[in-house]
Each structure stands twice: as C-alpha cells, then as structure tokens.
Amino acid sequence: MNAPDRYERFVVPEGTKKVSYERDTKIVNAGSFTIEREDHTIGNILRMQLHRDPNVLFAGYKLPHPLQYKILVRIHTTNQSSPSQAYNQAITDLDKELEHLKKIFEEEKSRFEVKPRDY
Amino acid sequence: MEGVSYQRLPKIMIREMKDDYLKFNLTDTDASMANALRRVMIAEVPTIAIDLVEIEVNSSVLNDEFISHRLGLIPLTSDLAMGMRFSRDCDSCDGDGQCEFCSVEFHLNVRCDSDQTLDVTSADLRSTDPNVVPVDVAARALSSDPSSFDSDQRGIIIVKLRRGQELRLRAIARKGIGKDHAKWSPAATVTFMYEPDIQIKEDLMETLTLEEKRNWVESSPTKVFDIDPITQQVMVVDSEAYTYDEEVIKKAEAMGKPGLVEIYAKEDSFIFTVESTGAIKASQLVINAIDVLRQKLDAVRMQDAEADFKEFTDHMQGGG
C-alpha cells in the first residue's frame, strides 16, 4: 500500500547527482562520497580496492538504511594523495581488473570448447 | 595527477561447461570481487520477461492476476537483452513501452472444445519476435532429435481448461533486472566457496591403528578422506567436498591427537558454480555480469574536472 516503488532502488531521481563529495571539516585529506542508488556490490569492492593503496589511511563504506538507496564511502589519505584521487584510482584499477577478467574468461572459454581439461 | 596502479591480474580455469551450468575456478583476487560478480549475476544482468498483460477473455478457473503472474515467471530467451532498451528510458515510444526497441508482444488464444481437459502451456504463446520465445520452446526447436522430448514435456503449464472455457490475451514482454522483480533474474543459483587446502600430518597419522583411522575418516559428514586399500594410509579423495564443518578436527582432538590435520581456506581462490534459468547461457551470464559491473563502476566515477576544482577551492578556503 505505502511501499516505495521498486524502481526507486536503481533509478537516480531527476535533479540528483549520482556521486557527490563532501570534504571533512576537521581532518585534511579526508572526506566522504555519497553514491546514490548503489549498494554492497559497489561499496565493498571499492573499499577493498582502496585498502590496497598505501596512501589510503582509512577507507570504509556504509549503507545507512535499507530504504535509503545510497551508500557512503569515507576515505582518509596521506598528504601524498587525496580522497578524490584515491577514489578515481580505485575505480580505474577495478575497471582494468574486470577488463582483464573478461579477456581471460573468453580465452579460457574458447580453449575449453576445443579441449576440456580432465578433472 | 595519475596515481600508481594497484591492479590485480586474476586467473580463471573452467572445469565444466554446459548451456545452463558452469563451474570454474577464480584465483588471485579477493572475496569482494567474487561476491560482486555473484550479486550482479543474480540481480543485475538483464533479461526479458512478460510485464504487461491485457486479458480479452478469461473463463478459466484462475483469475486474471493469477494468470498474469504465471506468465511473468516463464523464462524467455534473452540473448538480445543486453542490446535492448529499458522501456523507462526508451524515447521511441512515449513511455508506454510498446515499440521494437524495448518490447516484444505475445498473443495467446486457446479454447477447449473437447471433453478432455486442455493444458494451456508456454508452447501456446505466439511471439512477434522469433528471437524471444519461451526457453523450453527454443530448446525443442534446437534439438536434433525432437522425439527425445516425450509427451510429458509439453512446456510450462499456464492453466488447464474444461470444455467451453477460453483464454485470450495479449502480453508485452520487457527488459528488466532481478533487482526489480525476481522474474527477470537469469540465475537459478550462483555460489562460490573458498578452495580448501587440506594437509594430513603423516607421522602423527601413522601412530593410529587401522580401526582408529577408519573411525576418524568416518567422522567427516562428507566424503573428504579415504583409506588406501593397499598401503592403509589415509588420503584426501575430494578436498572440495569439505564443508568447513571442522568435524574431523574435533574428532582428532577427541582422540587425543590434536593437529592430525590442518585445513585452511585459500582466501584468494574461489570455486564458482553458475546455474542459468535458460534465458541466457551460463557462460554468457558471466560475461554479461562483468560488462554490467564495469558499467556500474563507470557510472560512479567522479567527474575529474569537478572533483579537482572542488579540491582546489576547498584548499583556497583554507580549512583544516
């Protein structure tokens, strides 16, 4: 009856930005990104990729409420980097990893079609 | 401002591949990537399913919404789905979602005129696009030996009709994702597990009698270990059958032999099983999931100029 529409989970409302950044008021090189209409799928891979960056002092994400369809990603870096730089680098690296994954999956698939490995 | 790359280079090894089943090993990455792929396969890879039903005549025993729901759950061949538009962002039709770019029309017209009960099945659905048909109909058309489908397999039953009952309707199938409604999910099941690394301490094991070895082997609820009939040594027959229940470790402790076996989960190695509903091939499901995840990542990129400018102006305002 008063349930939110199902599409609210993945359609970004008009006039809302997909990603917005807010700088921390007290700590330098820290801030949080608000990503609209995303969940653990994006939040967790981003967080884990950020942990691989030695310039990132802190990276975490949260889904504030199951009916608020957004995630918050908080990043604190050293002064060698910045939250925006670390964030974009993490996305670039993940994208390259997936590009590689697609390439090797397709290679393995055509190899398997010719000669399946015995198990 | 290009930073250093911390990219990984994962590996894949396919172990079993059928149209609707795939088993593969994914190594050199972490659980977040494996779980993201699993989540995307289940809820975000698009397929086509019946979404709008206009009933003209329904004198069957099932009510209109019951039949509409059953129609929605019939899996349709969705190889075109990745290239199709969502009806909500289709500009060729003004939002009513009834054009060639975002929808496929189906018709159903069945009437029972005999004393025998008539089954209305997915095979009675007439599609306006030969590429989008119920999956069981497509499987039958592709099969080289049609007789292999015996009379028991007549398609997915929608409703049964008695003499004089009739069902006539028009249905619109649209592109969608499992997050919206499970009828759009292309995955029956997608699972992954950590690959186990099992090491038996041979010298400690040899202090056991054959009877004790048998008892210990039997303590595992799944058949992971066995005894070599010739050498009477305990060996691992199927490490992947291990369910991380730790029964064998508890048994070893109870026998007064702690450390008899060491079992670790390799945290960068995953065994995936993917089962498809038939809407798309299991191997294509994995490829589509990778594409969808890349599109999602691209959408959450901070627009460079904007971010740098923000960083710069924030700096000028001299906070901190």
Side-chain angles (χ1 to χ4, degrees), chain A residues 6-7 9-11 17-30 33 35-42 44-49 52-55 81-85 87-106 108-113 116-117 119, chain B residues 1-17 22 24-26 28-37 39-40 44 51 88 177 179-181 183-184 240 282-284 286-287 290-291 293-304 306-308 310-311 314-315 318-320:
Chain A
R6 288 196 312 252
Y7 66 80
R9 289 174 66 178
F10 47 87
V11 181
K17 267 167 60 181
K18 180 84 181 167
V19 189
S20 54
Y21 174 57
E22 197 170 343
R23 188 171 159 274
D24 192 283
T25 50
K26 294 195 177 80
I27 311 163
V28 281
N29 286 319
F33 295 85
I35 310 175
E36 282 293 337
R37 314 291 126 143
E38 290 296 346
D39 57 18
H40 301 286
T41 308
I42 289 295
N44 199 26
I45 47 169
L46 261 183
R47 176 184 72 110
M48 293 309 283
Q49 186 65 38
R52 293 173 63 80
D53 186 339
N55 283 320
S81 183
S82 72
S84 309
Q85 197 190 332
Y87 177 86
N88 276 330
Q89 187 60 45
I91 291 172
T92 307
D93 289 343
L94 283 169
D95 190 66
K96 278 195 275 184
E97 178 174 342
L98 285 164
E99 185 182 9
H100 169 78
L101 204 58
K102 186 179 175 183
K103 194 182 108 226
I104 59 159
F105 184 85
E106 282 170 341
E108 173 71 1
K109 181 171 166 268
S110 34
R111 192 203 59 73
F112 189 88
E113 277 161 354
R117 222 172 255 156
Y119 232 94
Chain B
M1 277 237 298
E2 191 53 36
V4 205
S5 176
Y6 304 103
Q7 189 212 340
R8 282 172 301 214
L9 295 168
K11 292 187 188 74
I12 280 177
M13 185 181 69
I14 296 178
R15 296 168 41 179
E16 223 183 310
M17 184 164 64
L22 181 69
F24 65 93
N25 283 17
L26 173 69
D28 298 338
T29 189
D30 69 2
S32 71
M33 183 53 79
N35 197 39
L37 285 173
R39 287 175 62 99
V40 170
E44 301 195 56
D51 194 32
R88 61 168 181 276
I177 57 172
K179 224 177 185 182
D180 190 345
H181 191 292
K183 70 182 174 188
W184 276 300
E240 286 166 26
S283 56
Q284 193 60 43
V286 177
I287 294 169
I290 296 172
D291 285 340
L293 192 53
R294 287 186 72 190
Q295 285 163 19
K296 280 170 75 75
L297 279 168
D298 203 49
V300 301
R301 232 189 209 110
M302 195 81 184
Q303 297 313 309
D304 268 325
E306 179 194 9
D308 287 346
K310 185 106 172 73
E311 203 68 30
D314 283 346
H315 188 70

Side-chain angles (χ1 to χ4, degrees), chain B residues 30-266:
Chain B
D30 69 2
S32 71
M33 183 53 79
N35 197 39
L37 285 173
R38 184 192 65 85
R39 287 175 62 99
V40 170
M41 280 189 246
I42 292 169
E44 301 195 56
V45 171
T47 64
I48 302 162
I50 291 175
D51 194 32
L52 201 85
V53 181
E54 205 174 284
I55 298 199
E56 286 162 31
V57 180
N58 173 20
S59 51
S60 77
V61 291
L62 299 184
N63 58 45
D64 294 1
E65 38 277 75
F66 201 120
I67 288 173
S68 309
H69 180 239
R70 290 181 68 77
L71 288 168
L73 294 176
I74 296 170
L76 306 175
T77 49
S78 306
D79 299 303
L80 302 178
M82 286 296 274
M84 263 173 85
R85 294 179 190 166
F86 286 107
S87 60
R88 61 168 181 276
D89 24 72
C90 178
D91 13 82
S92 303
C93 51
D94 14 291
D96 55 355
Q98 292 174 32
C99 72
E100 51 177 327
F101 301 108
C102 67
S103 64
V104 178
E105 201 172 311
F106 285 83
H107 292 272
L108 184 73
N109 188 356
V110 192
R111 192 188 151 83
C112 177
D113 287 312
S114 72
D115 279 331
Q116 221 185 1
T117 310
L118 179 71
D119 292 347
V120 182
T121 70
S122 54
D124 295 313
L125 277 170
R126 279 180 292 114
S127 170
T128 53
D129 185 340
N131 291 311
V132 181
V133 290
V135 293
D136 55 299
V137 176
R140 209 160 319 159
L142 279 174
S143 169
S144 50
D145 178 20
S147 62
S148 67
F149 289 90
D150 53 66
S151 55
D152 283 344
Q153 286 175 298
R154 292 155 297 187
I156 302 163
I157 296 179
I158 298 163
V159 67
K160 292 183 179 183
L161 300 181
R162 258 190 75 172
R163 182 193 265 281
Q165 292 179 338
E166 190 182 3
L167 182 62
R168 199 160 72 218
L169 56 87
R170 194 172 75 96
I172 308 283
R174 289 179 180 151
K175 173 182 173 175
I177 57 172
K179 224 177 185 182
D180 190 345
H181 191 292
K183 70 182 174 188
W184 276 300
S185 177
T189 49
V190 183
T191 64
F192 68 85
M193 70 177 277
Y194 287 119
E195 187 182 325
D197 180 12
I198 304 177
Q199 262 148 16
I200 301 171
K201 291 283 165 281
E202 295 294 348
D203 42 347
L204 197 56
M205 186 62 81
E206 285 318 304
T207 65
L208 299 184
T209 64
L210 186 59
E211 187 57 29
E212 284 175 313
K213 282 181 186 172
R214 277 207 193 97
N215 280 336
W216 183 79
V217 165
E218 290 303 311
S219 73
S220 175
T222 51
K223 193 140 190 66
V224 181
F225 304 96
D226 206 354
I227 296 170
D228 191 311
I230 302 154
T231 64
Q232 302 192 336
Q233 274 188 315
V234 176
M235 55 183 184
V236 179
V237 284
D238 184 7
S239 65
E240 286 166 26
Y242 186 61
T243 55
Y244 295 96
D245 46 65
E246 302 193 353
E247 288 296 329
V248 286
I249 294 167
K250 284 177 209 152
K251 179 70 178 174
E253 279 167 14
M255 291 164 78
K257 306 274 180 189
L260 189 60
V261 68
E262 278 187 11
I263 305 176
Y264 295 107
K266 291 186 187 169

